[in-house]
Every structure is written in C-alpha cells, then in structure tokens.
C-alpha cells in the first residue's frame, strides 16, 4: 500500500488568510523554520493505479495538480481517483468533493448521518449526481462487525478492507439543532482503518478524547495519522484573544495531562504521524521546544508531499 500526504494542516491551512498569530506572521516573513501546509488530505493506493482519498479537503484541486499519480491518463475524461472516504461532514473533510464535480463517476463512503447532512441538507453536493453514472454514495457502519471489503475495480481486483470507529466527536456547527437531535452521535466523527494483506493504516484527524475505542486500532496499525491540531487546550484563545478551547471543538490537545502525547506514547507497532496541524501549533516551528519534544518521543509531523510505503 502506498500512502501520500497531500495536505497536513488543519482548517485554514498554514498560513491562514486572516491569521496574525506568531507562526503565520513569521512564516509570511520568511522567519519561521518550517513549511507552509495545505489542508489535511491523504491519498492511498494498493495497486498504484486506483487511488482512494481520505476526506476531501478544501485544497483538493491544488493537491491533485501537485500529485503526478493523480493525473488522468490520456484519452476520454477519467481519473485514477476511484473513491473518497469521509470521516465527518465538516467543511474541512467534505468541501473538496465540489472540486470533483466535472462529470466523472467515483464512490463516496460515509456514515448514513454524514450522507444525510451532505446530500439532503446541503443540496449543492447534488452537483455530483451529474456524472454518468452518478457518483455513488455508499454507507458504512461504525459497529465492530462493520468491516467491509472494497474492490478497487469492477472486476474485483486488488481489494482491501476498511472499518470505522466512532470517535465521540460532534456534528459541525452548520448542522441545525433539529437535525442534530435526530442523528446518531456515533456517526458524527469516525476514525478509519484500511487493511491490505498484513498491513494496516489508521486515520483519525479529529480525536475528541471522549471515546477510547480508537486506541486498539491505532496500536495494531503499521501507520497511524492522529489529531495534531493543537498543542495546548487554550491555544486558540491565547493566539487570537477569543474562541473556544481545543477540547470544546472536538480536539484532544497534544500536551498536558491526558493529552494525546501522554495517551498514546510509545504505544503500538507502527509509525505515528501527527496531521491536521493548526497554524497556531508551536510544533510547526522546527526550532521550538515543542517540535523537539514530539520528535524525541518518536512522533513524525506530517508535511505536504510525504509518502509512506507499507
Ligand atoms: Zn496563524
């Protein structure tokens, strides 16, 4: 399995258009030892021909253009992009679907609740129905027995398995209260496990910390991408003078008692990569003590363009 990091930042990217935090200011001025980043996006393939996306970021068009593997072959309009797995209905996870609206069929895998939000409450996504055949929406369960095989092509070649685990997060702000009340909390935010042969990839860019089921899956995986959004719980408030805590918006901070570093340190057999890193996070500065600390603890920090082979 090949896994490519097309984008590694949280919503807004790095730098963020309206942000005057220390990281964004220093990056714009060329004074930060670190790299700009587009919004979090992963692509993987088990045969190097058909590629699947984990989420569809607001930067997806630019990310596809920067990735030679995702370029279409010569001839009629088509794409190596065969399917998209969504972890939530967040703008950061789903907006990029609108970049894929040019009449090419592919598959979208999402929980029934995420599908309802995107397809019925946000009718703009119906633009995807114009493809011939229309883009195919497929549901998946968050139950432990919900593991499904995915055939990469219509002949069933090169299949892989995937399953989803609820992460205890909430539905996005834009979902109205009446609908929110009707939807199952388990289907709001999920982590995804992809299995091919003996190899396992786990992806959870939003960890609320309210559900710990993900840890077993992450520990048994060869490569895990986990929530690196915030270093500290009050980081947004410190950087912007307002806003909510990390935990209040569904992200376990990295540092502190019960932070992700403490919860998942030295655990598991695989490579541990932090992704979905907010522009305020000090780990983006490679000269910071926080950067040194996570690296010394064995974590990798996702950057656009990284590739892993499992
Ligand atoms: Zn910033």
């Amino acid at each position: 399995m090949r896994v490519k990091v097309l984008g590694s930042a949280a919503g807004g990217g790095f730098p963020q258009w309206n942000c005057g935090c220390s990281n964004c200011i220093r990056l714009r001025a060329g004074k930060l030892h670190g790299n700009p980043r587009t919004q979090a996006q992963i692509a993987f393939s088990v045969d190097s021909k058909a590629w699947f996306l984990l989420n569809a970021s607001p930067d997806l068009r630019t990310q596809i253009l920067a990735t030679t593997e995702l370029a279409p072959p010569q001839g009629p309009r088509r794409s190596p992009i065969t399917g998209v797995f969504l972890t939530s209905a967040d703008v950061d996870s789903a907006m990029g679907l609108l970049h894929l609206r040019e009449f090419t069929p592919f598959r979208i895998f999402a929980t029934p609740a995420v599908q309802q939000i995107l397809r019925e409450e946000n009718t703009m996504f119906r633009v995807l129905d114009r493809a011939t055949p229309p883009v195919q929406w497929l549901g998946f369960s968050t139950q432990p027995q919900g593991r499904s095989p995915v055939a990469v092509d219509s002949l069933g070649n090169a299949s892989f398995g995937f399953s989803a685990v609820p992460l205890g997060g909430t539905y996005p702000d834009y979902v109205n209260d009446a609908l929110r009340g009707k939807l199952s909390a388990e289907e709001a935010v999920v982590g995804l496990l992809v299995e091919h042969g003996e190899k396992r990839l786990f992806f959870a860019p939003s960890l609320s910390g309210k559900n710990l089921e993900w840890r077993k899956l992450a520990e048994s995986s060869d490569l895990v991408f986990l929530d690196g959004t915030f270093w500290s719980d009050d980081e947004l408030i410190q950087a912007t003078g307002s806003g909510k805590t990390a935990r209040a918006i569904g992200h376990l901070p990295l540092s502190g008692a019960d932070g992700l570093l403490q919860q998942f340190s030295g655990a598991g057999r695989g490579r541990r990569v932090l992704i979905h890193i907010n522009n305020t996070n000090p780990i983006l500065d490679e000269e910071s003590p926080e950067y040194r600390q996570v690296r010394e603890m064995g974590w990798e920090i996702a950057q656009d363009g990284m590739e892993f082979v499992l």
Side-chain angles (χ1 to χ4, degrees), residues 35-260:
N35 297 305
R37 285 166 163 86
T38 61
Q39 295 165 89
Q41 179 67 52
I42 298 283
F44 72 91
S45 177
V46 296
D47 63 0
S48 288
K49 289 184 212 133
W51 285 83
F52 288 79
L53 305 179
L54 294 177
N55 285 337
S57 95
D59 291 318
L60 188 56
R61 179 180 176 277
T62 314
Q63 292 164 336
I64 291 171
L65 297 184
T67 310
T68 53
E69 290 87 345
L70 301 183
Q74 195 174 358
R77 284 194 181 160
R78 58 203 160 113
S79 167
I81 297 171
T82 305
V84 182
F85 292 86
L86 299 180
T87 60
S88 74
D90 284 350
V91 172
D92 296 354
S93 307
M95 185 175 141
L97 292 174
L98 297 176
H99 286 301
L100 305 178
R101 67 190 181 281
E102 281 85 14
F103 303 95
T104 289
F106 58 93
R107 287 170 272 174
I108 303 171
F109 301 84
T111 63
V114 167
Q115 287 194 50
Q116 186 176 345
I117 293 168
L118 297 180
R119 301 179 69 190
E120 291 169 33
E121 304 295 316
N122 288 275
T123 52
M124 196 184 283
F125 287 97
R126 289 185 193 162
V127 72
L128 297 167
D129 296 343
R130 301 179 307 169
T132 312
V135 164
Q136 192 183 3
W137 291 80
L138 297 158
F140 58 75
S141 159
T142 54
Q143 300 305 308
Q145 67 276 20
R147 191 161 299 169
S148 313
V150 177
V152 168
D153 66 30
S154 56
L155 301 173
N157 292 325
S159 65
F160 58 86
F162 83 96
S163 46
V165 60
L167 296 177
T170 56
Y171 288 100
D173 290 347
Y174 71 76
V175 177
N176 67 64
D177 290 342
L179 177 58
R180 190 186 298 261
K182 281 189 253 166
L183 300 173
S184 155
E186 298 233 310
E187 295 182 10
V189 183
V190 301
L192 292 169
L193 179 76
V194 177
E195 296 175 83
H196 183 244
E198 302 283 291
K199 299 298 181 181
R200 296 176 128 208
L201 160 70
F202 183 70
F203 178 65
S206 290
L207 285 170
S208 72
K210 290 179 187 148
N211 178 336
L212 300 179
E213 264 181 271
W214 62 270
R215 273 165 59 172
K216 258 191 271 161
L217 296 184
E219 281 167 14
S220 67
S221 293
D222 303 279
L223 176 60
V224 299
F225 290 96
L226 296 180
D227 185 344
T229 311
F230 296 112
W231 176 257
S232 51
D233 199 34
D234 64 350
E235 183 172 312
L236 265 189
I237 301 166
Q238 294 287 345
T240 66
S242 63
K244 296 178 176 174
T245 63
R247 282 190 166 87
I249 54 175
H251 295 286
L252 191 61
L254 294 172
S255 68
D258 244 5
L260 179 63

Side-chain angles (χ1 to χ4, degrees), residues 13-25 28 239-240 278-281:
F14 182 46
Q16 179 174 315
W17 70 283
N18 62 348
C19 190
C21 77
S22 161
N23 277 349
C24 287
I25 288 196
R28 287 188 199 101
T240 66
N278 199 58
N279 56 76
T280 50
N281 192 326

